[in-house]
Structure formats: structure tokens, C-alpha cells
Amino acid sequence: MKTVYFLLSLCLASPASAYTTPKPNKPTTISHRRAFLSKIAGATIAATSAVTLNPSSASAADDNLQNVYWGAGCYWHVQHEFILAERSILGRKDNELTSLTGYAGGFKTDSEGRVCYHNFQSIADYGKLGHGEVVGMTIPESKVEDFAVEYFNLFGDKGERADPMDKGGEYRSLLGLPGGSKHPAFAQVEAAGKARGMALVDGKGNDPDTLGKRLVYVYDSNKFPFYQAEFYHQYHNDFLTPAYGKEYNNLAEAALDDGRIKITGCPDRV
């Protein structure tokens, strides 16, 4: 019952370039992956959690690729919107998509480099570590402004995220760019925010909620890296909208098989 409760409560509970690749203690081959998934639901594999977002071969033509992240409440619907953006703005195919749910904006990890969703084992709880929910991706520097426009469109006319019922620093509005407010495209990002009535301020780390403030924290992603979320949280249906469909949900396993999704070492289905 604990596992069932854990899965049902995800994204409803209120309570690093610094991207590195997780290194599980015991490597798992793709040929054994399905057996692996079915046998160890809820298990923990020791691994570091900050990850590199790697688009596949078609993105090689994209010049000056950069790792960025965006957060606005629960990350499930945010990932879906950025998957659509990768397709429409960059023309990426399914095996080239890089948008992944994760955590950022906190100072700490646990002793094994992990940042995890709330869990019964109290392993590396992202809220306690000061992180917020985000979606990280790899995009060309020349398209940062376009993705910023998509990001600020996530906020309603009152400047609120889609799920104001989720409260706490875990759900604060935040974005991460290499160099933060010193990024070459920051002026364009800031203008996109102002067009929606949003103010951008430098994040200090472990920042509080932004609910009711029309505020977005800006982080230097080199100092405040992205930590990929668990497999369970990738390509997940949102709880506020109709289901996105199996075709969307199944993108998670494809990304796990080809290495775009990593084993985090957190309590998970894998």
C-alpha cells in the first residue's frame, strides 16, 4: 500500500555547465531493462543525479546548444508544453526531444549527489534540499527567446501558475540559464516576461514560493544545476487536464532505452 500511496500522491504533496551523468553502482543493460522495470519498483540504485541533456543526431546542426530549465508549479504539464515547443520551434522528432522533468534552485544534494521527489524513505527530498520543480532541455542559444515566450505563456492573466493549489518553494517560478541574468539573451527573456506582467529577479538559492507575486527567480545554471527527476515523472499525464495519451506516455520508455533518461538512484519504478 505504501507504493500505491506514493504513486497517487506524487505532484500533489506540498510538504551542474554543471550537468553530469549519473553512474549507477551496477550497470543495467537494455536487453534486461523490461525485467529490471518489473522486478524492482520502488528500489533505490545509488547514483549521482545531475545529468546532461543530450539531443540526438539531428540536433547536431543546431549551433551553440545550451542546457536551460524552466519551472512553473508541477512539472508534468510544463514538460508537455515544452515537448510541443521542441517540435514546433526546432522541428525535433521523438528521438531528439530533450525536455525532462527535474529539480533545481537548491544548494544541496544528499551525500551521493541525489535530489529526489518526496518519498517514504526520506532520501534526498528535493523540498528539504531547497529545490523547485523544473523542466530542463538542450536548445540553441538563438532560440532561448522563443522558448522564453512559451514559458511565460504558461502563466495566466494574473501571472499565476496553472496549479496555485500547490504551495511552497518546491513550486516556485524559476528559470535557469548559463550565466543567469548575464546570459546574452537575458534582455529578450526579461522582455518576454514583462510582456506578461512578470518581474525577473536573481535567485539566491533555496528561495521561497512566488505565489501571488508575479515573480520569477533567475538562476545561473552553472551554479544551480538541473537534477533529472525520476523515470516515473517523465512524460506523465497532468492532474489538471485530460490525459495526454499513451503515445506521449510511451516516449518515456523510448528515452530510457536510448539513454536520454538516466537512472537517478532515487526511489522510483526503475
Side-chain angles (χ1 to χ4, degrees):
M1 288 297 296
K2 286 186 175 181
T3 299
V4 172
Y5 178 81
F6 169 69
L7 296 179
L8 289 176
S9 64
L10 298 173
C11 247
L12 293 173
S14 295
S17 180
Y19 294 65
T20 58
T21 303
K23 299 177 180 178
N25 287 344
K26 296 182 180 180
T28 305
T29 62
I30 291 176
S31 61
H32 297 115
R33 192 178 304 281
R34 283 178 175 76
F36 178 68
L37 298 181
S38 64
K39 291 180 180 178
I40 63 166
T44 299
I45 300 174
T48 57
S49 300
V51 299
T52 304
L53 300 171
N54 293 317
S56 58
S57 58
S59 292
D62 295 338
D63 58 314
N64 201 14
L65 289 171
Q66 298 188 336
N67 293 316
V68 302
Y69 56 77
W70 319 86
C74 179
Y75 44 27
W76 290 344
H77 78 281
V78 178
Q79 182 183 29
H80 179 260
E81 296 308 305
F82 278 114
I83 289 297
L84 297 180
E86 284 195 78
R87 288 169 169 165
S88 63
I89 296 172
L90 302 178
R92 285 179 174 166
K93 300 176 182 178
D94 288 351
N95 66 342
E96 299 165 347
L97 299 169
T98 64
S99 294
L100 297 174
T101 58
Y103 314 104
F107 288 117
K108 297 180 180 180
T109 68
D110 76 351
S111 61
E112 297 181 25
R114 295 175 295 187
V115 178
C116 305
Y117 194 80
H118 309 303
N119 58 87
F120 287 108
Q121 297 94 320
S122 296
I123 296 171
D125 185 301
Y126 79 107
K128 295 178 181 178
L129 293 171
H131 295 274
E133 295 190 14
V134 298
V135 172
M137 66 203 65
T138 302
I139 60 175
E141 182 181 322
S142 62
K143 298 298 183 182
V144 168
E145 179 182 2
D146 294 330
F147 277 78
V149 170
E150 295 295 326
Y151 171 65
F152 288 109
N153 283 339
L154 295 173
F155 297 91
D157 292 338
K158 295 182 179 181
E160 293 298 357
R161 55 186 181 250
D163 54 342
M165 72 290 294
D166 286 331
K167 296 179 172 64
E170 301 100 311
Y171 303 104
R172 64 189 184 269
S173 302
L174 69 159
L175 64 87
L177 304 169
S181 58
K182 293 181 171 58
H183 186 276
F186 179 72
Q188 289 85 358
V189 173
E190 186 174 39
K194 287 182 177 179
R196 297 287 293 170
M198 306 295 288
L200 278 64
V201 300
D202 288 335
K204 297 179 180 179
N206 291 48
D207 296 289
D209 201 354
T210 54
L211 191 64
K213 300 178 181 179
R214 300 189 78 109
L215 181 70
V216 175
Y217 295 113
V218 179
Y219 294 94
D220 181 348
S221 57
N222 295 321
K223 297 179 180 178
F224 294 94
F226 170 84
Y227 294 88
Q228 181 208 292
E230 299 83 343
F231 175 78
Y232 176 83
H233 292 292
Q234 307 300 336
Y235 299 96
H236 198 291
N237 293 326
D238 187 47
F239 61 93
L240 295 173
T241 62
Y244 298 133
K246 289 297 183 183
E247 184 176 355
Y248 175 81
N249 303 146
N250 290 341
L251 292 172
E253 187 165 343
L256 182 65
D257 285 346
D258 68 23
R260 282 174 292 135
I261 292 177
K262 311 297 183 184
I263 303 297
T264 65
C266 296
D268 200 354
R269 280 166 44 190
V270 297

